[in-house]
Amino acid sequence: MNKIKYDAVVVGGRIGGSTASLFASKNGLDVLMIEKNQEIGTPVQCAEATSSSTFKTLEMEPSSKYVCNEIKGADIYAPDGTHGHLEGGYAEGFILERKLFDKQLAIESAKAGTDIMVKTTVKDLIRRNGQICGVVAKHMGHTIEVEADLVIAADGIESRISKMAGLKTHQSPQSLCSCAQYEMVGVECDPHYLQFYFGEKIAPGGYVWIFPKGDGIANVGVGVRSDTETAYSFLKKFTSTMDATPVELNMGGVPVYGPVKKTYTDSLMVVGDAAGQVEPFTGGGIHVTAQCARIAGEVAAEAIEKENTSGNFLKKYEKLWQKEVGKDLKQSLKYRKIMDQLTDKEMNIVAEFLIEQDLESISKMAVLGFVRDYPQFLKLLKDIL
């Protein structure tokens, strides 16, 4: 059995893994990143939209190499077709080509000094005297022991590494949104605006999206929480009336009920989907994962420098990411839970009210008038405030 030694081993080579590796390497660590697939970036399990803050976090510039399109806003459709428009602000950003972006991020990490092993699967954690001190991996038929002072788990939903370490990262059916997406050619839509469609008939417990990539190409997807039909069946229904051709199908799950309770233990930290670091309301996770994974990489470097990888030290990681994004995730979860309570009829009523308001400076009188006319929304309003 081959044995190798690193300061830190990162399991998973997507945005969470590559970002943690990048900033751990930038801060002087000897890092190995392990990816189970033979190519970083595939298969795609993402709608590919992100905000400009992602690039600030990563200290990268948006590039035509991996940015398909710039987004200026969004159009939102209630179940009855009531249409609201958002311009700028949170709705601004980019559509990425994740196959290229993820690989470029791994390349940046490699340039910073990270070693990378693809087509490699972690089979177990190495423990000595109860302490995690690396991983056992299988690479091209060969078993390898990777000794490391620290492990970062970036291995996605239902993280096996976290479970091996004794952390509770289990996602229930209620907390997961099942998603299916086509990349389609011949989609007629404004190339700089996202589209969102809500309604029990088209996407129970979620929504349909159309994210334009330019030149008539768009990601058309649906996320649902349904016991009766698959996300793919809802996708087929929605796209059946579109005069467009699918060229790619991707499916996966997204955690939409907030972060897991604990994202660290002795000698291990958890990042990205594995940690539930996703906005519950939108299901968007690129910018959140980038922020949290950068913190993990920087805390890893500090822990190794101080020769202290105990959970007592690594809790600093959780404190820092909670300080940076925790409040936003809690607020997003609150909106998710409120949305879950609304019927289609109630969504239509809320949408009709909101499109008549200036959302930046909505007046108390307008809100009081709305509650007077629709007292059933009083509790929901209290929950928001």
Side-chain angles (χ1 to χ4, degrees), residues 17-19 21-23 25-26 29 31-33 40 102-117:
S18 285
T19 302
S21 298
L22 172 64
F23 285 95
S25 293
K26 277 187 173 183
L29 292 196
V31 180
L32 172 67
M33 183 170 76
I40 290 174
D102 286 22
K103 185 176 286 187
Q104 185 61 42
L105 189 53
I107 288 169
E108 294 301 320
S109 182
K111 286 179 179 178
T114 300
D115 286 342
I116 299 173
M117 292 182 70

PDB file of all heavy atoms in Angstrom, residues 17-19 21-23 25-26 29 31-33 40 102-117:
ATOM      1  N   GLY A  17     -14.339  22.367  -2.527  1.00  0.00           N
ATOM      2  CA  GLY A  17     -13.029  21.750  -2.382  1.00  0.00           C
ATOM      3  C   GLY A  17     -11.913  22.570  -2.972  1.00  0.00           C
ATOM      4  O   GLY A  17     -10.857  22.764  -2.353  1.00  0.00           O
ATOM      5  N   SER A  18     -12.138  23.089  -4.184  1.00  0.00           N
ATOM      6  CA  SER A  18     -11.085  23.872  -4.843  1.00  0.00           C
ATOM      7  C   SER A  18     -10.816  25.186  -4.112  1.00  0.00           C
ATOM      8  O   SER A  18      -9.670  25.630  -4.012  1.00  0.00           O
ATOM      9  CB  SER A  18     -11.463  24.160  -6.298  1.00  0.00           C
ATOM     10  OG  SER A  18     -11.300  23.010  -7.093  1.00  0.00           O
ATOM     11  N   THR A  19     -11.883  25.814  -3.589  1.00  0.00           N
ATOM     12  CA  THR A  19     -11.697  27.080  -2.867  1.00  0.00           C
ATOM     13  C   THR A  19     -10.945  26.860  -1.564  1.00  0.00           C
ATOM     14  O   THR A  19     -10.005  27.602  -1.232  1.00  0.00           O
ATOM     15  CB  THR A  19     -13.053  27.746  -2.580  1.00  0.00           C
ATOM     16  OG1 THR A  19     -13.745  27.978  -3.808  1.00  0.00           O
ATOM     17  CG2 THR A  19     -12.870  29.077  -1.863  1.00  0.00           C
ATOM     18  N   SER A  21      -8.928  24.415  -0.899  1.00  0.00           N
ATOM     19  CA  SER A  21      -7.556  24.056  -1.277  1.00  0.00           C
ATOM     20  C   SER A  21      -6.755  25.282  -1.691  1.00  0.00           C
ATOM     21  O   SER A  21      -5.586  25.444  -1.315  1.00  0.00           O
ATOM     22  CB  SER A  21      -7.580  23.046  -2.427  1.00  0.00           C
ATOM     23  OG  SER A  21      -8.225  21.862  -2.056  1.00  0.00           O
ATOM     24  N   LEU A  22      -7.386  26.139  -2.486  1.00  0.00           N
ATOM     25  CA  LEU A  22      -6.727  27.345  -2.981  1.00  0.00           C
ATOM     26  C   LEU A  22      -6.210  28.204  -1.846  1.00  0.00           C
ATOM     27  O   LEU A  22      -5.030  28.607  -1.826  1.00  0.00           O
ATOM     28  CB  LEU A  22      -7.705  28.142  -3.848  1.00  0.00           C
ATOM     29  CG  LEU A  22      -7.260  29.532  -4.310  1.00  0.00           C
ATOM     30  CD1 LEU A  22      -6.045  29.437  -5.224  1.00  0.00           C
ATOM     31  CD2 LEU A  22      -8.414  30.241  -5.035  1.00  0.00           C
ATOM     32  N   PHE A  23      -7.084  28.475  -0.861  1.00  0.00           N
ATOM     33  CA  PHE A  23      -6.678  29.399   0.205  1.00  0.00           C
ATOM     34  C   PHE A  23      -5.825  28.726   1.273  1.00  0.00           C
ATOM     35  O   PHE A  23      -5.012  29.393   1.917  1.00  0.00           O
ATOM     36  CB  PHE A  23      -7.903  30.094   0.791  1.00  0.00           C
ATOM     37  CG  PHE A  23      -8.437  31.154  -0.146  1.00  0.00           C
ATOM     38  CD1 PHE A  23      -9.452  30.868  -1.031  1.00  0.00           C
ATOM     39  CD2 PHE A  23      -7.850  32.414  -0.175  1.00  0.00           C
ATOM     40  CE1 PHE A  23      -9.906  31.830  -1.925  1.00  0.00           C
ATOM     41  CE2 PHE A  23      -8.299  33.376  -1.062  1.00  0.00           C
ATOM     42  CZ  PHE A  23      -9.324  33.095  -1.942  1.00  0.00           C
ATOM     43  N   SER A  25      -3.534  26.489   0.367  1.00  0.00           N
ATOM     44  CA  SER A  25      -2.237  26.507  -0.328  1.00  0.00           C
ATOM     45  C   SER A  25      -1.639  27.910  -0.351  1.00  0.00           C
ATOM     46  O   SER A  25      -0.426  28.086  -0.153  1.00  0.00           O
ATOM     47  CB  SER A  25      -2.399  25.981  -1.757  1.00  0.00           C
ATOM     48  OG  SER A  25      -2.736  24.614  -1.762  1.00  0.00           O
ATOM     49  N   LYS A  26      -2.481  28.916  -0.610  1.00  0.00           N
ATOM     50  CA  LYS A  26      -1.996  30.305  -0.612  1.00  0.00           C
ATOM     51  C   LYS A  26      -1.387  30.687   0.729  1.00  0.00           C
ATOM     52  O   LYS A  26      -0.514  31.552   0.795  1.00  0.00           O
ATOM     53  CB  LYS A  26      -3.140  31.267  -0.939  1.00  0.00           C
ATOM     54  CG  LYS A  26      -3.430  31.430  -2.417  1.00  0.00           C
ATOM     55  CD  LYS A  26      -4.454  32.541  -2.629  1.00  0.00           C
ATOM     56  CE  LYS A  26      -4.648  32.850  -4.114  1.00  0.00           C
ATOM     57  NZ  LYS A  26      -5.598  33.971  -4.318  1.00  0.00           N
ATOM     58  N   LEU A  29       0.124  25.893   3.147  1.00  0.00           N
ATOM     59  CA  LEU A  29      -0.034  24.478   3.451  1.00  0.00           C
ATOM     60  C   LEU A  29       0.312  23.594   2.261  1.00  0.00           C
ATOM     61  O   LEU A  29       0.170  23.988   1.109  1.00  0.00           O
ATOM     62  CB  LEU A  29      -1.476  24.168   3.878  1.00  0.00           C
ATOM     63  CG  LEU A  29      -1.968  24.730   5.208  1.00  0.00           C
ATOM     64  CD1 LEU A  29      -3.234  24.008   5.649  1.00  0.00           C
ATOM     65  CD2 LEU A  29      -0.917  24.655   6.295  1.00  0.00           C
ATOM     66  N   VAL A  31      -1.077  20.740   0.367  1.00  0.00           N
ATOM     67  CA  VAL A  31      -2.460  20.271   0.261  1.00  0.00           C
ATOM     68  C   VAL A  31      -2.620  19.253  -0.864  1.00  0.00           C
ATOM     69  O   VAL A  31      -2.066  19.422  -1.953  1.00  0.00           O
ATOM     70  CB  VAL A  31      -3.420  21.460   0.000  1.00  0.00           C
ATOM     71  CG1 VAL A  31      -4.869  20.973  -0.109  1.00  0.00           C
ATOM     72  CG2 VAL A  31      -3.298  22.523   1.087  1.00  0.00           C
ATOM     73  N   LEU A  32      -3.413  18.207  -0.594  1.00  0.00           N
ATOM     74  CA  LEU A  32      -3.842  17.276  -1.629  1.00  0.00           C
ATOM     75  C   LEU A  32      -5.366  17.382  -1.747  1.00  0.00           C
ATOM     76  O   LEU A  32      -6.077  17.276  -0.752  1.00  0.00           O
ATOM     77  CB  LEU A  32      -3.467  15.832  -1.287  1.00  0.00           C
ATOM     78  CG  LEU A  32      -4.050  14.763  -2.231  1.00  0.00           C
ATOM     79  CD1 LEU A  32      -3.436  14.877  -3.623  1.00  0.00           C
ATOM     80  CD2 LEU A  32      -3.854  13.365  -1.663  1.00  0.00           C
ATOM     81  N   MET A  33      -5.859  17.590  -2.973  1.00  0.00           N
ATOM     82  CA  MET A  33      -7.297  17.584  -3.222  1.00  0.00           C
ATOM     83  C   MET A  33      -7.649  16.325  -4.011  1.00  0.00           C
ATOM     84  O   MET A  33      -7.027  16.029  -5.031  1.00  0.00           O
ATOM     85  CB  MET A  33      -7.736  18.833  -3.994  1.00  0.00           C
ATOM     86  CG  MET A  33      -9.248  18.903  -4.223  1.00  0.00           C
ATOM     87  SD  MET A  33      -9.785  20.503  -4.883  1.00  0.00           S
ATOM     88  CE  MET A  33      -9.257  20.351  -6.606  1.00  0.00           C
ATOM     89  N   ILE A  40     -12.701  17.259 -13.439  1.00  0.00           N
ATOM     90  CA  ILE A  40     -13.287  18.246 -12.535  1.00  0.00           C
ATOM     91  C   ILE A  40     -14.257  19.132 -13.317  1.00  0.00           C
ATOM     92  O   ILE A  40     -13.934  19.625 -14.399  1.00  0.00           O
ATOM     93  CB  ILE A  40     -12.188  19.086 -11.862  1.00  0.00           C
ATOM     94  CG1 ILE A  40     -11.427  18.214 -10.860  1.00  0.00           C
ATOM     95  CG2 ILE A  40     -12.776  20.315 -11.162  1.00  0.00           C
ATOM     96  CD1 ILE A  40     -10.238  18.865 -10.228  1.00  0.00           C
ATOM     97  N   ASP A 102     -15.330  25.415 -12.830  1.00  0.00           N
ATOM     98  CA  ASP A 102     -14.812  24.528 -11.783  1.00  0.00           C
ATOM     99  C   ASP A 102     -13.390  24.077 -12.091  1.00  0.00           C
ATOM    100  O   ASP A 102     -12.538  24.005 -11.209  1.00  0.00           O
ATOM    101  CB  ASP A 102     -15.714  23.307 -11.634  1.00  0.00           C
ATOM    102  CG  ASP A 102     -17.029  23.635 -10.943  1.00  0.00           C
ATOM    103  OD1 ASP A 102     -17.431  24.810 -10.944  1.00  0.00           O
ATOM    104  OD2 ASP A 102     -17.662  22.705 -10.405  1.00  0.00           O
ATOM    105  N   LYS A 103     -13.145  23.765 -13.368  1.00  0.00           N
ATOM    106  CA  LYS A 103     -11.802  23.328 -13.747  1.00  0.00           C
ATOM    107  C   LYS A 103     -10.795  24.478 -13.585  1.00  0.00           C
ATOM    108  O   LYS A 103      -9.677  24.269 -13.098  1.00  0.00           O
ATOM    109  CB  LYS A 103     -11.783  22.803 -15.186  1.00  0.00           C
ATOM    110  CG  LYS A 103     -10.420  22.233 -15.582  1.00  0.00           C
ATOM    111  CD  LYS A 103     -10.433  21.618 -16.969  1.00  0.00           C
ATOM    112  CE  LYS A 103     -11.156  20.306 -17.002  1.00  0.00           C
ATOM    113  NZ  LYS A 103     -11.021  19.625 -18.313  1.00  0.00           N
ATOM    114  N   GLN A 104     -11.206  25.695 -13.957  1.00  0.00           N
ATOM    115  CA  GLN A 104     -10.320  26.841 -13.813  1.00  0.00           C
ATOM    116  C   GLN A 104      -9.993  27.103 -12.347  1.00  0.00           C
ATOM    117  O   GLN A 104      -8.854  27.440 -12.005  1.00  0.00           O
ATOM    118  CB  GLN A 104     -10.944  28.096 -14.438  1.00  0.00           C
ATOM    119  CG  GLN A 104     -10.028  29.315 -14.440  1.00  0.00           C
ATOM    120  CD  GLN A 104      -8.749  29.094 -15.233  1.00  0.00           C
ATOM    121  OE1 GLN A 104      -8.786  28.511 -16.319  1.00  0.00           O
ATOM    122  NE2 GLN A 104      -7.620  29.561 -14.710  1.00  0.00           N
ATOM    123  N   LEU A 105     -11.000  26.929 -11.485  1.00  0.00           N
ATOM    124  CA  LEU A 105     -10.764  27.122 -10.055  1.00  0.00           C
ATOM    125  C   LEU A 105      -9.777  26.079  -9.532  1.00  0.00           C
ATOM    126  O   LEU A 105      -8.890  26.389  -8.720  1.00  0.00           O
ATOM    127  CB  LEU A 105     -12.095  27.039  -9.300  1.00  0.00           C
ATOM    128  CG  LEU A 105     -12.102  27.418  -7.825  1.00  0.00           C
ATOM    129  CD1 LEU A 105     -11.481  28.791  -7.596  1.00  0.00           C
ATOM    130  CD2 LEU A 105     -13.529  27.383  -7.284  1.00  0.00           C
ATOM    131  N   ALA A 106      -9.891  24.849 -10.013  1.00  0.00           N
ATOM    132  CA  ALA A 106      -8.932  23.806  -9.640  1.00  0.00           C
ATOM    133  C   ALA A 106      -7.539  24.139 -10.165  1.00  0.00           C
ATOM    134  O   ALA A 106      -6.526  23.902  -9.485  1.00  0.00           O
ATOM    135  CB  ALA A 106      -9.398  22.452 -10.170  1.00  0.00           C
ATOM    136  N   ILE A 107      -7.492  24.702 -11.373  1.00  0.00           N
ATOM    137  CA  ILE A 107      -6.201  25.115 -11.956  1.00  0.00           C
ATOM    138  C   ILE A 107      -5.555  26.196 -11.092  1.00  0.00           C
ATOM    139  O   ILE A 107      -4.341  26.158 -10.827  1.00  0.00           O
ATOM    140  CB  ILE A 107      -6.396  25.605 -13.406  1.00  0.00           C
ATOM    141  CG1 ILE A 107      -6.697  24.418 -14.329  1.00  0.00           C
ATOM    142  CG2 ILE A 107      -5.167  26.375 -13.903  1.00  0.00           C
ATOM    143  CD1 ILE A 107      -7.160  24.810 -15.717  1.00  0.00           C
ATOM    144  N   GLU A 108      -6.359  27.170 -10.648  1.00  0.00           N
ATOM    145  CA  GLU A 108      -5.833  28.239  -9.781  1.00  0.00           C
ATOM    146  C   GLU A 108      -5.296  27.641  -8.481  1.00  0.00           C
ATOM    147  O   GLU A 108      -4.261  28.080  -7.963  1.00  0.00           O
ATOM    148  CB  GLU A 108      -6.927  29.262  -9.469  1.00  0.00           C
ATOM    149  CG  GLU A 108      -7.408  30.058 -10.673  1.00  0.00           C
ATOM    150  CD  GLU A 108      -6.296  30.848 -11.345  1.00  0.00           C
ATOM    151  OE1 GLU A 108      -5.447  31.414 -10.628  1.00  0.00           O
ATOM    152  OE2 GLU A 108      -6.270  30.889 -12.588  1.00  0.00           O
ATOM    153  N   SER A 109      -6.009  26.650  -7.960  1.00  0.00           N
ATOM    154  CA  SER A 109      -5.561  25.988  -6.743  1.00  0.00           C
ATOM    155  C   SER A 109      -4.244  25.249  -6.983  1.00  0.00           C
ATOM    156  O   SER A 109      -3.325  25.306  -6.160  1.00  0.00           O
ATOM    157  CB  SER A 109      -6.645  25.012  -6.269  1.00  0.00           C
ATOM    158  OG  SER A 109      -6.264  24.383  -5.072  1.00  0.00           O
ATOM    159  N   ALA A 110      -4.153  24.576  -8.132  1.00  0.00           N
ATOM    160  CA  ALA A 110      -2.911  23.872  -8.477  1.00  0.00           C
ATOM    161  C   ALA A 110      -1.740  24.842  -8.626  1.00  0.00           C
ATOM    162  O   ALA A 110      -0.623  24.563  -8.200  1.00  0.00           O
ATOM    163  CB  ALA A 110      -3.107  23.071  -9.762  1.00  0.00           C
ATOM    164  N   LYS A 111      -2.012  25.997  -9.240  1.00  0.00           N
ATOM    165  CA  LYS A 111      -0.965  27.025  -9.384  1.00  0.00           C
ATOM    166  C   LYS A 111      -0.479  27.511  -8.030  1.00  0.00           C
ATOM    167  O   LYS A 111       0.687  27.892  -7.871  1.00  0.00           O
ATOM    168  CB  LYS A 111      -1.499  28.204 -10.202  1.00  0.00           C
ATOM    169  CG  LYS A 111      -1.644  27.922 -11.690  1.00  0.00           C
ATOM    170  CD  LYS A 111      -2.193  29.149 -12.409  1.00  0.00           C
ATOM    171  CE  LYS A 111      -2.319  28.912 -13.907  1.00  0.00           C
ATOM    172  NZ  LYS A 111      -2.901  30.097 -14.604  1.00  0.00           N
ATOM    173  N   ALA A 112      -1.395  27.508  -7.051  1.00  0.00           N
ATOM    174  CA  ALA A 112      -1.018  27.950  -5.701  1.00  0.00           C
ATOM    175  C   ALA A 112      -0.264  26.867  -4.942  1.00  0.00           C
ATOM    176  O   ALA A 112       0.249  27.111  -3.846  1.00  0.00           O
ATOM    177  CB  ALA A 112      -2.271  28.361  -4.923  1.00  0.00           C
ATOM    178  N   GLY A 113      -0.207  25.645  -5.512  1.00  0.00           N
ATOM    179  CA  GLY A 113       0.582  24.586  -4.900  1.00  0.00           C
ATOM    180  C   GLY A 113      -0.167  23.321  -4.544  1.00  0.00           C
ATOM    181  O   GLY A 113       0.439  22.343  -4.096  1.00  0.00           O
ATOM    182  N   THR A 114      -1.488  23.293  -4.748  1.00  0.00           N
ATOM    183  CA  THR A 114      -2.270  22.104  -4.419  1.00  0.00           C
ATOM    184  C   THR A 114      -1.955  20.944  -5.369  1.00  0.00           C
ATOM    185  O   THR A 114      -1.914  21.134  -6.585  1.00  0.00           O
ATOM    186  CB  THR A 114      -3.783  22.409  -4.508  1.00  0.00           C
ATOM    187  OG1 THR A 114      -4.114  23.446  -3.579  1.00  0.00           O
ATOM    188  CG2 THR A 114      -4.621  21.181  -4.202  1.00  0.00           C
ATOM    189  N   ASP A 115      -1.740  19.769  -4.809  1.00  0.00           N
ATOM    190  CA  ASP A 115      -1.681  18.548  -5.614  1.00  0.00           C
ATOM    191  C   ASP A 115      -3.109  18.028  -5.783  1.00  0.00           C
ATOM    192  O   ASP A 115      -3.923  18.132  -4.863  1.00  0.00           O
ATOM    193  CB  ASP A 115      -0.826  17.480  -4.926  1.00  0.00           C
ATOM    194  CG  ASP A 115       0.661  17.800  -4.998  1.00  0.00           C
ATOM    195  OD1 ASP A 115       1.055  18.632  -5.841  1.00  0.00           O
ATOM    196  OD2 ASP A 115       1.420  17.226  -4.189  1.00  0.00           O
ATOM    197  N   ILE A 116      -3.405  17.459  -6.951  1.00  0.00           N
ATOM    198  CA  ILE A 116      -4.770  17.003  -7.235  1.00  0.00           C
ATOM    199  C   ILE A 116      -4.728  15.573  -7.756  1.00  0.00           C
ATOM    200  O   ILE A 116      -3.911  15.237  -8.619  1.00  0.00           O
ATOM    201  CB  ILE A 116      -5.460  17.920  -8.265  1.00  0.00           C
ATOM    202  CG1 ILE A 116      -5.555  19.356  -7.728  1.00  0.00           C
ATOM    203  CG2 ILE A 116      -6.856  17.398  -8.625  1.00  0.00           C
ATOM    204  CD1 ILE A 116      -6.060  20.369  -8.736  1.00  0.00           C
ATOM    205  N   MET A 117      -5.625  14.743  -7.243  1.00  0.00           N
ATOM    206  CA  MET A 117      -5.794  13.378  -7.732  1.00  0.00           C
ATOM    207  C   MET A 117      -7.238  13.217  -8.188  1.00  0.00           C
ATOM    208  O   MET A 117      -8.163  13.337  -7.380  1.00  0.00           O
ATOM    209  CB  MET A 117      -5.480  12.347  -6.646  1.00  0.00           C
ATOM    210  CG  MET A 117      -4.020  12.300  -6.240  1.00  0.00           C
ATOM    211  SD  MET A 117      -3.677  11.017  -4.993  1.00  0.00           S
ATOM    212  CE  MET A 117      -3.894   9.536  -5.985  1.00  0.00           C
TER     213      MET A 117
END
